[in-house]
């Protein structure tokens, strides 16, 4: 299938990029054995490789190597910061969390989770605002159970077979959540889970079942919207932005699509307003800026109606942020003074807070462990929507003290 081929190609490109980064780190570390940031970066890249590696024994080897590199960086500098702006302690905690997820022996797995918890507690003493892994740890047993079941279902199957198994698993989860929702129709948590699962399922089936995928993503948008109305949750608002963007990209009518794109930015704007961590805020603001490129992407996908899609001007405070690898050149081109943003859209948290840490990129997170377990690959980038992790490798620090 076309989708499966594209998925595998993207995974292979990311894998090659990460391997190249690791090799550069190896070469530079021979010359700078005490460069804690360099070694931490190496460990973080190995962790990202583990996330996308489907072979469980191979995943364990990468995680072991990652833990060793990250611990070495911390031994050199207990306050070591990785190029994405996070304490190395959190990356090491993430490595132990992933090891816990894929460890079949329950007693050994529990030791890995205890180590992960200790590292998170130690890291939060240095950075109290970093709460990324707290919910992950709380739901750890459930996630481990799901991942181990998924690994067993994938065993012995080809990549195409695994992709089909993913779809089947997604459908089973949706059926389970739909039954839960029937009993608790106003449960914001169940609505959020159901919407997120529908969105994930639509991404898996978009190439061979267009109508089914469209129906799922529209339903996901409504579930997530209702959940966010019941309870303001940053993750839910981010997923709502993703789903709304996806619906907009499928919409043939330029006016309707434009309104949906504005609504997607409004949802992500609300998600940004709930962010307290400076580095994560800076990343989200750059993602918010890049969302304005979705208008161009819609034009590319709908050439017959391209000229009917308005191009929204990027607010000046967002346009002044540093570009990323995914930033469209058109967004940074000279333009007249920005028009007033759509109501509720704007650029929350911009100004001084937007500048702080704006040059830092986000690395792998605990939430990626589950994606790696299921062999899935988010297509959020193709929809121009915000993602929790952009999957791109960061530059290798070449000198001591450089990020």
């Amino acid at each position: 299938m076309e989708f499966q081929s594209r998925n595998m190609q993207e995974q292979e490109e990311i894998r090659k990029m990460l391997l190249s980064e690791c090799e550069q780190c190896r070469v530079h570390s021979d010359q700078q054995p005490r460069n804690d940031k360099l070694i931490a970066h190496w460990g973080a890249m190995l962790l990202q490789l583990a996330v996308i590696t489907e072979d469980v024994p191979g995943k364990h080897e990468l995680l072991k190597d990652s833990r060793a590199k990250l611990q070495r960086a911390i031994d050199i500098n207990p306050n070591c910061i990785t190029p994405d702006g996070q304490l190395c302690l959190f990356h090491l905690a993430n490595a132990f969390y992933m090891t816990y997820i894929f460890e079949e022996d329950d007693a050994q797995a529990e030791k890995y989770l205890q180590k992960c918890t200790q590292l998170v507690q130690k890291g939060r003493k240095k950075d109290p605002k970093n709460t990324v892994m707290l919910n992950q740890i709380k739901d750890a047993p459930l996630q481990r159970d799901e991942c181990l079941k998924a690994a067993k279902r994938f065993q012995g199957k080809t990549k195409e077979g695994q992709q089909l198994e993913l779809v089947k698993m997604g459908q089973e989860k949706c059926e389970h959540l739909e039954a839960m929702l029937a009993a608790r129709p106003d449960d914001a948590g169940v609505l959020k889970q159901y919407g997120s699962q529908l969105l994930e399922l639509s991404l898996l089936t978009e190439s061979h079942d267009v109508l089914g995928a469209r129906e799922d993503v529209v339903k996901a948008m409504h579930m997530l919207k209702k959940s966010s109305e019941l309870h303001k949750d940053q993750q839910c608002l981010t997923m709502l932005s993703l789903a709304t963007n996806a619906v907009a990209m499928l919409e043939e009518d330029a006016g309707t699509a434009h309104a949906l794109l504005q609504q997607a930015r409004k949802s992500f704007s609300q998600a940004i307003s709930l962010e307290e961590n400076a580095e994560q805020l800076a990343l989200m603001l750059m993602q918010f800026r890049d969302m304005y490129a979705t208008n161009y992407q819609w034009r590319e996908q709908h050439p017959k109606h391209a000229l009917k899609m308005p191009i929204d001007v990027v607010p000046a405070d967002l346009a002044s942020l540093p570009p990323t690898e995914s930033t469209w050149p058109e967004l940074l081109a000279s333009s007249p003074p920005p028009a007033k943003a759509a109501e509720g859209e704007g650029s929350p948290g911009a100004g001084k807070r937007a500048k702080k840490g704006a040059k830092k990129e986000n690395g792998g997170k605990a939430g990626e462990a589950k994606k790696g377990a299921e062999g899935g690959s988010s297509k959020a980038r193709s929809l121009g929507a915000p993602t929790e992790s952009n999957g791109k490798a960061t530059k290798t620090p070449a000198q001591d003290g450089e990020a």
Side-chain angles (χ1 to χ4, degrees):
M1 298 178 188
E2 181 185 354
F3 171 75
Q4 294 169 354
S5 176
R6 186 169 73 247
N7 182 14
M8 288 186 284
Q9 287 176 358
E10 288 186 1
Q11 290 279 54
E12 183 60 21
E13 288 174 5
I14 294 173
R15 190 184 72 84
K16 288 180 179 179
M17 182 168 58
L18 292 171
L19 285 172
S20 176
E21 287 285 321
C22 288
E23 178 59 22
Q24 290 182 50
C25 288
R26 186 192 67 76
V27 172
H28 287 299
S29 67
D30 288 341
Q31 303 166 357
Q32 305 169 51
R34 299 287 296 175
N35 186 332
D36 58 293
K37 289 186 178 180
L38 172 63
I39 297 168
H41 179 68
W42 190 359
M45 293 300 98
L46 288 166
L47 181 57
Q48 290 192 41
L49 265 176
V51 168
I52 65 172
T53 297
E54 297 174 2
D55 173 56
V56 175
K59 191 185 292 283
H60 273 298
E61 285 300 314
L62 287 166
L63 287 170
K64 181 179 179 181
D65 200 6
S66 173
R67 297 197 307 269
K69 299 292 188 298
L70 293 168
Q71 184 61 61
R72 180 178 159 198
I74 293 171
D75 290 342
I76 296 171
N77 177 8
N79 297 316
C80 176
I81 301 291
T82 54
D84 67 356
Q86 287 197 56
L87 281 166
C88 189
L89 281 167
F90 289 117
H91 282 277
L92 182 56
N94 193 11
F96 272 103
Y97 180 83
M98 279 194 65
T99 307
Y100 159 79
I101 288 290
F102 292 98
E103 175 55 58
E104 294 187 2
D105 182 87
D106 291 340
Q108 186 60 45
E110 189 59 32
K111 292 179 181 179
Y112 289 132
L113 183 59
Q114 288 176 2
K115 182 64 176 178
C116 168
T117 304
Q118 292 169 3
L119 288 164
V120 170
Q121 292 172 346
K122 190 174 181 179
R124 293 199 71 236
K125 288 181 181 179
K126 298 174 183 288
D127 182 8
K129 292 183 178 181
N130 194 317
T131 59
V132 172
M133 292 190 66
L134 292 181
N135 289 333
Q136 290 292 131
I137 293 174
K138 185 169 59 177
D139 298 332
L142 177 62
Q143 290 194 28
R144 176 170 174 261
D145 183 59
E146 289 182 354
C147 289
L148 289 177
K149 286 180 179 178
K152 289 179 181 178
R153 290 178 68 159
F154 292 152
Q155 193 171 7
K157 288 184 171 63
T158 63
K159 288 187 177 182
E160 289 79 5
Q162 290 178 3
Q163 194 70 33
L164 292 173
E165 193 65 32
L166 264 180
V167 173
K168 186 178 179 181
M169 290 168 61
Q171 292 169 338
E172 291 171 0
K173 289 178 184 177
C174 283
E175 291 172 1
H176 174 68
L177 288 166
E178 190 170 10
M180 289 179 64
L181 191 61
R184 296 145 57 187
D186 293 321
D187 189 315
V190 176
L191 284 163
K192 172 185 167 183
Q193 289 182 59
Y194 188 28
S196 299
Q197 189 59 53
L198 283 167
L199 177 58
E200 184 176 333
L201 182 61
S202 73
L203 295 171
L204 290 170
T205 60
E206 62 180 351
S207 69
H208 60 277
D209 184 9
V210 177
L211 293 178
R214 181 188 179 92
E215 182 179 334
D216 285 341
V217 77
V218 170
K219 193 172 182 179
M221 181 178 69
H222 291 309
M223 294 297 109
L224 293 165
K225 185 174 187 295
K226 185 176 179 180
S227 176
S228 66
E229 289 171 349
L230 291 168
H231 174 66
K232 291 297 180 186
D233 175 85
Q234 187 188 61
Q235 187 183 41
C236 182
L237 287 165
T238 301
M239 296 299 292
L240 174 58
S241 177
L242 254 172
T244 308
N245 246 353
V247 175
M249 295 301 290
L250 294 170
E251 177 58 54
E252 289 289 336
D253 181 75
T256 304
H258 183 239
L260 286 166
L261 292 177
Q262 289 183 317
Q263 185 60 46
R265 292 200 296 267
K266 180 178 179 180
S267 297
F268 196 54
S269 171
Q270 293 173 339
I272 291 174
S273 70
L274 299 175
E275 183 56 55
E276 296 182 354
N277 181 273
E279 285 76 23
Q280 184 64 17
L281 173 65
L283 173 70
M284 293 179 75
L285 285 168
M286 287 188 283
Q287 290 175 332
F288 187 46
R289 182 268 318 281
D290 291 349
M291 286 179 71
Y292 282 81
T294 319
N295 299 56
Y296 294 100
Q297 293 173 319
W298 189 93
R299 284 184 167 189
E300 283 190 351
Q301 292 192 26
H302 304 272
K304 291 183 179 180
H305 310 290
L307 295 181
K308 295 181 180 180
M309 169 59 72
I311 296 301
D312 298 320
V313 178
V314 182
D317 50 359
L318 293 177
S320 65
L321 295 174
T324 65
E325 292 182 40
S326 60
T327 302
W328 283 47
E330 290 88 343
L331 294 183
L332 304 181
S334 58
S335 60
K340 184 179 179 181
E343 184 180 353
E345 192 172 310
S347 49
K352 291 183 179 179
R353 285 210 306 160
K355 303 294 183 181
K356 186 177 181 181
K359 294 184 179 179
K360 297 175 181 177
E361 294 184 7
N362 192 35
K365 292 181 181 174
E368 293 177 294
K370 186 177 177 183
K371 292 182 182 178
E374 297 178 350
S377 174
S378 172
K379 296 294 171 291
R381 293 189 303 278
S382 68
L383 300 175
T387 55
E388 293 189 30
S389 175
N390 61 16
K392 296 182 181 296
T394 51
K395 294 182 179 180
T396 305
Q399 298 179 2
D400 286 321
E402 288 185 354

